[in-house]
Amino acid sequence: MSEKTDKQQQPLVSVRGLVNRFGSQTIHDQLDLDIFPREIIGVVGGSGTGKSVLLRSIVGLRRPTGGSVRVFGKELENLSTEQRSEMERRFGVLFQGGALFSSLTVLENIALPLIEHAGLSRDDAEHLAKMKVALTGLPPEAGDKYPSMLSGGMVKRAALARALALDPDILFLDEPTAGLDPIGAAAFDQLIATLRDALGLSVFLVTHDLDTLYAICDRVAVLSQKRVLVADDLQTVSNTDNEWIQAYFHGPRGRAASGQHALNPEPN
């Protein structure tokens, strides 16, 4: 894990007063959150707190009901279509389930954004796609397979390779270890931390996985009461006087994850 995030840095993403409503149901009300350079921030919360909705609001897939989202110093809502397209190239998104095109091979899935957004030829795009496959730890032969031919862990890595296709500044990951066995989930966590360190990425990570929080997150943001209740280092968050936080971090699973992390501290 990197050194604790320097909050004197300018955030890459600044969410202020965010409101999200679906009909008469308010999901977010006056929500504030920052994402800083080179940090891994984990976002947690109970069911219905709008973790994925927050992610979609930041990357521009959902227009908020109110508030502002500033990305790289620019107000997302004020960007032209061309400017928004340029901005979106700086995001890499891994959706739940991978969301790969089932009719395309892994290489074709990764090459597609390089052809459509970077204007590369098919040959050049597939050459770069092979590099992304290697970067995420997939064997070279995985590139010629279709998603249905891959294990769950390999699908996650293939989807991550596609998210990295355009060399983004920020990775947005929605439940990336869901459905993986503990060994596969731990390996994926380590891959994310390695990529952050090697590529200088920021990572916004929606997760329920306590092991992920303890293993790689610099900060944790807790969604509750329609806003971010607290966003800080794990120790500060876990000690926050809130019923849900105490049950989440100090229940049986939380104690197990904390104890496992204490037994296997990250090497200096």
Side-chain angles (χ1 to χ4, degrees):
M1 188 180 295
S2 70
E3 296 180 5
K4 185 177 177 180
T5 300
D6 181 2
K7 296 180 183 177
Q8 300 305 311
Q9 296 180 93
Q10 287 295 318
L12 297 181
V13 175
S14 183
V15 179
R16 291 293 179 269
L18 188 74
V19 178
N20 272 306
R21 293 193 184 98
F22 294 88
S24 61
Q25 183 181 16
T26 300
I27 304 299
H28 301 136
D29 188 14
Q30 301 301 313
L31 182 151
D32 297 339
L33 183 66
D34 292 321
I35 304 173
F36 292 98
R38 297 181 64 91
E39 78 164 341
I40 300 177
I41 180 167
V43 179
V44 301
S47 297
T49 53
K51 301 178 290 294
S52 295
V53 174
L54 174 59
L55 184 156
R56 294 172 67 86
S57 298
I58 294 174
V59 302
L61 293 175
R62 171 177 169 78
R63 175 174 290 185
T65 309
S68 70
V69 179
R70 293 184 66 84
V71 184
F72 308 118
K74 297 180 179 179
E75 186 72 38
L76 204 57
E77 192 70 18
N78 296 337
L79 297 179
S80 67
T81 301
E82 183 178 348
Q83 290 172 322
R84 184 182 288 266
S85 179
E86 286 295 315
M87 184 77 73
E88 290 170 354
R89 289 182 55 179
R90 301 178 70 180
F91 298 154
V93 185
L94 191 160
F95 296 102
Q96 290 188 42
L100 296 169
F101 293 107
S102 60
S103 60
L104 301 180
T105 66
V106 168
L107 277 183
E108 289 169 340
N109 266 282
I110 301 167
L112 188 62
L114 291 163
I115 295 169
E116 289 193 347
H117 299 290
L120 297 185
S121 68
R122 183 185 179 92
D123 286 346
D124 287 344
E126 292 199 351
H127 176 72
L128 281 176
K130 290 177 182 178
M131 295 174 62
K132 304 301 180 183
V133 165
L135 191 64
T136 54
L138 284 170
E141 59 269 21
D144 296 323
K145 297 181 183 294
Y146 291 93
S148 62
M149 302 166 67
L150 303 177
S151 68
M154 292 176 76
V155 167
K156 299 280 189 182
R157 288 175 184 255
L160 179 60
R162 185 180 64 181
L164 292 168
L166 295 173
D167 298 324
D169 295 300
I170 309 177
L171 268 180
F172 293 88
L173 311 178
D174 196 353
E175 299 285 3
T177 59
L180 299 183
D181 64 80
I183 294 174
F188 197 89
D189 287 341
Q190 188 54 55
L191 173 61
I192 295 301
T194 299
L195 290 172
R196 185 276 304 273
D197 293 340
L199 304 177
L201 299 167
S202 296
V203 181
F204 177 100
L205 177 70
V206 173
T207 187
H208 284 101
D209 195 331
L210 281 153
D211 289 325
T212 296
L213 299 180
Y214 278 98
I216 64 171
C217 289
D218 301 299
R219 288 194 304 141
V220 175
V222 178
L223 299 192
S224 180
Q225 301 166 26
K226 303 177 183 179
R227 63 193 67 187
V228 174
L229 187 66
V230 59
D232 215 316
D233 64 83
L234 194 54
Q235 182 175 356
T236 300
V237 170
S238 65
N239 289 332
T240 299
D241 184 14
N242 173 269
E243 184 178 356
W244 187 88
I245 289 176
Q246 290 301 307
Y248 185 72
F249 286 100
H250 299 287
R253 291 188 177 185
R255 291 196 301 271
S258 176
Q260 183 67 24
H261 182 69
L263 289 172
N264 298 286
E266 190 171 327
N268 293 326

